[in-house]
Amino acid sequence: MGYNLLKGKKGIIFGALNQESIAWKTALQAHEDGAEFVLTNAPIAMRMGEINELAKMCNAEVIPADATSIEDLTNLFEKSQEILGGKLDFVLHSIGMSPNVRKGKEYHDLNYDWFLKTLDISGLSFHKVLQTADKLDAMNDWGSILALTYIAAQRTFPDYGDMAQAKSVLESIARSYGYRFAKKNHVRVNTISQSPTMTTAGSGVGGFDVFLDYANKMSPLGNASAEDCAKYIIMMFSDYTRMVTMQNLMHDGGFSSSGITEEIIGELTK
């Protein structure tokens, strides 16, 4: 159900791969709430996914772009403004990939070339997106730019590997660039720290099923679903959150504030 929260707003959504993707669900919700937008993903991800199907459902155009390439991002932002007929009101950065995690490298035996790729794809790309939008003056006043992150930026989780460092970089960029964008034209920049979610990227982490169950038992409200995350993103894109910026917003059912829960105590005392 939509409430026209984004009626008349225009944007770019990065990272919709398939129906499990948070970006996919965000696109559907944004469309339902009246937004117009361009979908984008890396060319290799587009070959793996179903983004063209989503584009038809949302009456959106697709522009391939490698988020680590300034040339691709410049083309993306310029063409998006041409297609949408003006500057942008929102951008979602839903991008994350670690070659080390994907190939099962232990944290004490990282391939450092891959580590740099992790940082570039999953962290530095956010700065490139922000910088490109800034230099092209592509954002309307009071726009909203979001990136998805995870609590591993603050806490240690086995098997999350070098993605933890990438998420730390991502959150720091949101604060630093958020200051500039707020002073420039009131654009707010935030990150959303989502519950573990059964997406293609999330399920690639070792022991994910076990941790999903643990996080659910540690969260008084339970794990936040991808659908609920999409709704939170829509709220952050809307005019109801115009004074929220430079924040890492926890969307995790209470996980980040729980020391222990009755469910976990019950498990440990069996």
Side-chain angles (χ1 to χ4, degrees):
M1 181 177 177
Y3 297 93
N4 282 326
L5 290 180
L6 302 186
K7 186 176 181 180
K9 293 191 181 296
K10 309 172 190 300
I12 298 175
I13 295 176
F14 285 80
L17 182 66
N18 53 38
Q19 295 181 31
E20 282 70 49
S21 304
I22 292 172
W24 181 293
K25 297 182 187 301
T26 300
L28 292 176
Q29 190 65 51
H31 177 63
E32 194 170 340
D33 269 288
E36 297 178 75
F37 49 87
V38 165
L39 295 167
T40 186
N41 213 329
I44 187 170
M46 290 179 64
R47 290 195 295 271
M48 295 167 52
E50 305 153 13
I51 195 170
N52 290 322
E53 176 189 336
L54 176 64
K56 290 178 183 177
M57 297 166 66
C58 297
N59 193 28
E61 292 199 35
V62 180
I63 302 176
D66 177 350
T68 67
S69 165
I70 296 297
E71 182 180 357
D72 281 11
L73 290 173
T74 300
N75 177 67
L76 170 66
F77 275 91
E78 288 178 343
K79 284 193 174 180
S80 294
Q81 291 179 84
E82 291 175 14
I83 291 167
L84 298 171
K87 293 185 181 183
L88 308 174
D89 301 291
F90 64 87
V91 177
L92 174 64
H93 177 285
S94 180
I95 302 168
M97 196 281 287
S98 164
N100 278 302
V101 171
R102 179 170 289 182
K103 297 181 182 183
K105 293 289 286 182
E106 298 286 345
Y107 191 71
H108 59 272
D109 186 34
L110 293 181
N111 178 307
Y112 289 117
D113 288 333
W114 294 352
F115 193 176
L116 292 174
K117 286 183 180 179
T118 300
L119 294 174
D120 194 17
I121 295 168
S122 307
L124 187 56
S125 67
F126 191 42
H127 193 285
K128 293 177 180 179
V129 167
L130 291 161
Q131 180 172 283
T132 303
D134 184 4
K135 287 188 174 182
L136 293 176
D137 193 26
M139 297 299 297
N140 277 320
D141 285 5
W142 298 103
S144 177
I145 303 176
L146 288 172
L148 296 179
T149 186
Y150 185 55
I151 198 172
Q154 291 86 35
R155 300 183 189 176
T156 299
F157 294 91
D159 301 318
Y160 203 70
D162 54 1
M163 279 294 295
Q165 280 72 62
K167 293 301 188 184
S168 296
V169 168
L170 183 85
E171 293 175 18
S172 180
I173 288 169
R175 290 187 291 270
S176 297
Y177 224 115
Y179 176 84
R180 171 177 170 77
F181 249 137
K183 299 293 287 185
K184 181 185 178 185
N185 56 340
H186 303 106
V187 172
R188 63 248 198 223
V189 182
N190 295 286
T191 54
I192 292 178
S193 188
Q194 165 68 0
S195 295
T197 310
M198 189 58 79
T199 62
T200 301
S203 58
V205 177
F208 186 79
D209 288 346
V210 173
F211 182 67
L212 196 70
D213 181 54
Y214 167 76
N216 197 53
K217 291 174 179 174
M218 274 290 291
S219 307
L221 290 176
N223 289 331
S225 69
E227 290 85 355
D228 282 329
C229 187
K231 292 173 183 176
Y232 192 31
I233 290 167
I234 298 305
M235 184 191 73
M236 292 304 300
F237 285 161
S238 79
D239 291 333
Y240 288 106
T241 53
R242 293 178 73 175
M243 299 306 291
V244 181
T245 196
M246 302 163 62
Q247 302 300 309
N248 181 43
L249 304 163
M250 311 307 294
H251 187 256
D252 61 5
F255 178 90
S256 53
S257 294
S258 297
I260 196 167
T261 61
E262 292 174 352
E263 289 82 359
I264 295 298
I265 291 172
E267 288 290 322
L268 295 175
T269 53
K270 283 182 180 178

